[in-house]
């Protein structure tokens, strides 16, 4: 009996040691799936010139992408799939600070590989669309499939407020939905309701920049576009979450 | 042991004393979130001239806004986020009468601050739209983002019937969904189903006035528009729930 | 103690005696709500000439109407709100045959009163629309708000097959969703899933006649339109579930 | 007592013996229902030239078709309704290999009969549409109602990648949703969430071939169209899952 107990303990310790790797892989897979469905739905809409997609299918793509990402990663890593959420969990002491960079790296890599997968999935369509030109702006722009670009005329201040409100609303919604002391979603329905929170943000806060409330979701695919042929304009064109680039109006 | 019991009792009494403050804040936060998502979705649709929003995204905005508001406030105050619902709860003796004005004030303030947040979120877009003119009527009207205005040609009597049927249907749906002696929603799913009741009302009863079945949701943002630059026309133009203003046709 | 037991028994017997009245009222209320939301969403779409409604909002109206009807009536009468469902329950011995006419009458009356409520709700809009003409056919037709009319060119045989497939699919879906020996919906979610079954039928089987798979939902409002001013054409124009009327092509 | 036990055992053994027949029938019914709602929604959209259906109603048709199919078949056979899912279950040792051909045959037959039912349902509409011509390509093409055809210009390699990513994503989503060691859907909600996975794939991966991630769903109806009058072109035109046919561009 004691022997069995020992085995179990040993096994437990090994599992603990391998936890961080499992969490890394879970976040990577989750963000991969989020981008695959989310950016995939934008690609389907843009590349078909809205024949096979529309505003709502894109909203559904991100809603269900987040939902399925959490179903996949949730049991292992919590399914943050978003550095902003991981940061909130660090602040709330639900995630040890030392795990934070691991989570963010996993999310960034997952988003990068996810955008590779979308590009592979629609390689022929990208080649055909606008004779293969990979444009960042104009009527044939396809860079917006992967990363968010601010609306023309948006000031830096308003863009900053936009991101504060958006990310704050997201964290607030997630905390409310999973709060068992409050109403709280039934066990196993949290991913659906977090997904619906994304939908709520998408229908109400997407006008300025297209809700890039997820730095990994934005930066990973943006780096991919820079490498894959859209060029470094994808960085200079953009008032992204890091707020370090120049204003698009002035470009 | 007795000591611990005493501590717990003391703590319990303090909690009781602070209950009304917590309920005030819960209702305020809930209504804030409802307006942020609900009016935010109208703003996104109107300010983009339907390029980034449409009829359905507005319906989803209010549906999910109510749902998330209840997830946030439900465990503390019940998540009424609507004076009509609070009134129904008073009548059904589920809310003490003396708490009623506190709830209504919180809802009104939450809606007011929520419309401030939407205005901040889209400050640049409001400035650009129609060269910054803040119109109550006409093709560039933006007052409708915040408050409901009756359809032209609606008589006072029909507007009154519209509000009675709308508010009655809402209360009936809420009571049915949370009634555990009846089928009742599973624990934790009530907010989603109350949200879907709002959707049901939105798709079937919005033609006359745009379902302003929530006096706080309507009056708070309306006051905000009056202050923020749309002027007092927002009151005189409107056959609102209070039914005290003149008929829009006659204005 | 025995006294209390007696009281409880007595009360139980009284409740039993009053059961049939409560079931009558539950079915009436349920069907009323179904029509209020369902036909209300058609009215909103038709009377605004698709400005405030569209194909999907009508689907959502019936989906949510059925869902909310079942939440209201389900705990008392089972929430059939449809003679075809009541008939299936009789055949499956889940409803005593002698209650069947009571259920059907309640459903018919509920649908009739529901269409009155929709007419009151949009009285002004009906008066304005096409200068108050209440047309059964043509571009200004409004009879279709209340009852289903077959597509031009539909043969009687195809209409019959359409109804058999539609009603069969509905009963099959309901039985599957509530079957606890199978997967079965979680307790309290059945109404949502029955509503989604209606949506499934609406998106796939509505081309021929607009899914009038509910005789009460169709006949009650149709009678209302005959009385309210559309005239007896509403009967002669229609290949309804009873299949006794002449073919619309030949009219 | 022992007698009763014996009866129960005997009954148990009989049930076991009849299991494979019940599973066959369950898969057949499930796939039938999937095609009835899924292809039905495409038929409604195509035959009404998008007046009674649109992109989203088709997505909902397949989403709800899969959901209802699993509610019907899930308790008996697991509700695979897809040879790719059955194959994954064999690989994961959740389905004995010897049952695999039985499942696939049932799925194929269910899909075949399902497309018969859709054809019967809309027989008149098929006859009317384009004067009864049953076209595989061109503006009056109706073969696409039943089976998937690749977009023009899609290379064989990209089509293959498309199918690998699509089927992989589907299996991954299903495994995540039903995994009780992970978050996992609540008991009884799995069918809804598998349906939403189909929606996620539909909005993000349908551009190339229209997500024919289900060989039975594609091949059964395709065979039906070949027999019912569209001719053998339905096979030669198509880069289907089997990848054995020539490229549509070259036809």
């Amino acid at each position: 009996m004691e022997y069995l107990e020992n085995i179990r303990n040993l096994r437990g310790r090994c599992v603990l040691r391998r936890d961080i790797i499992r969490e890394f892989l879970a976040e990577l897979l989750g963000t991969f799936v989020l981008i695959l469905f989310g950016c995939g739905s934008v690609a389907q809409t843009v590349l078909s010139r809205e024949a096979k997609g529309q505003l709502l299918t894109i909203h559904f793509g991100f809603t269900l992408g987040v939902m399925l990402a959490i179903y996949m990663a949730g049991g292992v890593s919590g399914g943050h799939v978003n550095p902003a959420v991981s940061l909130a969990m660090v602040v709330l002491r639900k995630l040890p600070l030392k795990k934070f960079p691991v989570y963010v790296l996993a999310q960034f890599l997952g988003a990068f590989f996810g955008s590779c997968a979308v590009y592979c999935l629609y390689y022929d369509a990208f080649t055909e669309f606008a004779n293969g030109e990979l444009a960042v702006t104009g009527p044939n722009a396809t860079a917006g499939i992967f990363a968010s670009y601010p609306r023309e005329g948006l000031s830096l201040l308003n863009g900053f407020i936009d991101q504060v409100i958006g990310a704050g609303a997201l964290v607030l919604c997630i905390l409310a939905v999973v709060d068992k002391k409050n109403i709280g979603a039934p066990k196993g329905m949290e991913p659906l309701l977090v997904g619906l929170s994304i939908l709520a943000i998408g229908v109400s806060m997407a006008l300025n920049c297209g809700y890039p409330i997820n730095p990994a979701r934005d930066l990973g695919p943006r780096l991919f576009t820079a490498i894959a042929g859209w060029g470094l304009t994808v960085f200079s064109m953009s008032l992204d979450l890091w707020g370090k680039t120049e204003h698009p109006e002035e470009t």
Side-chain angles (χ1 to χ4, degrees), chain A:
Chain A
M1 202 58 187
E2 201 185 307
Y3 173 75
L4 275 174
E5 193 67 24
N6 280 348
I7 292 276
R8 203 182 306 147
N9 281 347
L10 189 66
R11 215 171 150 184
R13 277 200 295 276
C14 288
V15 166
L16 276 174
R17 232 169 265 154
R18 284 157 56 196
D19 259 13
I20 191 68
I21 298 175
R22 291 177 65 228
E23 287 170 26
F24 178 87
L25 292 174
E27 285 294 315
L28 195 151
L29 176 65
T31 323
F32 176 87
V33 165
L34 162 56
I35 295 298
L36 185 61
F37 289 128
C39 293
S41 68
V42 190
Q44 181 163 323
T45 304
V46 170
L47 295 175
S48 71
R49 297 193 187 278
E50 310 227 344
K52 298 284 180 188
Q54 47 178 255
L55 196 62
L56 277 175
T57 61
I58 294 175
H59 284 316
F60 290 167
F62 281 104
T63 300
L64 298 171
V66 167
M67 182 189 87
L68 290 164
I70 301 176
Y71 273 117
M72 284 177 200
V76 176
S77 66
H80 302 170
V81 299
N82 186 342
V85 174
S86 293
L87 184 62
M89 292 302 155
V90 168
V91 171
L92 295 166
R93 293 172 184 276
K94 293 185 176 173
L95 184 76
L97 182 56
K98 64 179 178 185
K99 284 189 179 175
F100 181 65
V102 179
Y103 271 57
V104 171
L105 182 65
Q107 289 154 2
F108 178 83
L109 287 178
F112 185 86
F113 294 140
S115 44
C116 297
V118 171
Y119 189 71
C120 290
L121 183 65
Y122 290 131
Y123 181 80
D124 285 8
F126 274 109
T127 313
E128 259 175 59
F129 191 85
N131 298 315
E133 191 206 353
L134 300 177
V136 179
T137 48
N140 292 328
T142 43
I145 290 172
F146 295 101
S148 303
Y149 293 86
R151 193 171 54 73
E152 260 188 60
L154 186 73
S155 72
L156 197 59
L157 177 65
N158 203 155
F160 179 75
I161 291 171
D162 178 89
Q163 289 307 305
V164 169
I165 293 180
L170 175 63
V171 170
L172 198 65
C173 289
I174 292 175
L175 292 178
V177 162
V178 302
D179 185 357
K180 293 298 180 194
K181 288 179 197 159
N182 203 323
I183 292 185
K187 199 184 159 309
M189 293 305 279
E190 301 93 343
L192 175 62
L193 291 161
V194 173
L196 289 177
S197 307
I198 297 288
L199 181 56
I201 292 171
V203 297
S204 63
M205 303 182 187
L207 183 54
N208 287 329
C209 325
Y211 61 119
I213 45 182
N214 184 336
R217 172 255 173 282
D218 196 75
L219 200 66
R222 192 183 298 272
L223 184 65
F224 171 77
T225 50
I227 295 169
W230 279 265
L232 290 173
T233 332
V234 299
F235 287 104
S236 56
M237 266 301 292
S238 155
L239 171 83
D240 64 14
L241 257 183
W242 311 108
K244 287 170 191 153
T245 52
E246 43 180 340
H247 193 236
E249 282 185 322
E250 298 151 12
T251 312

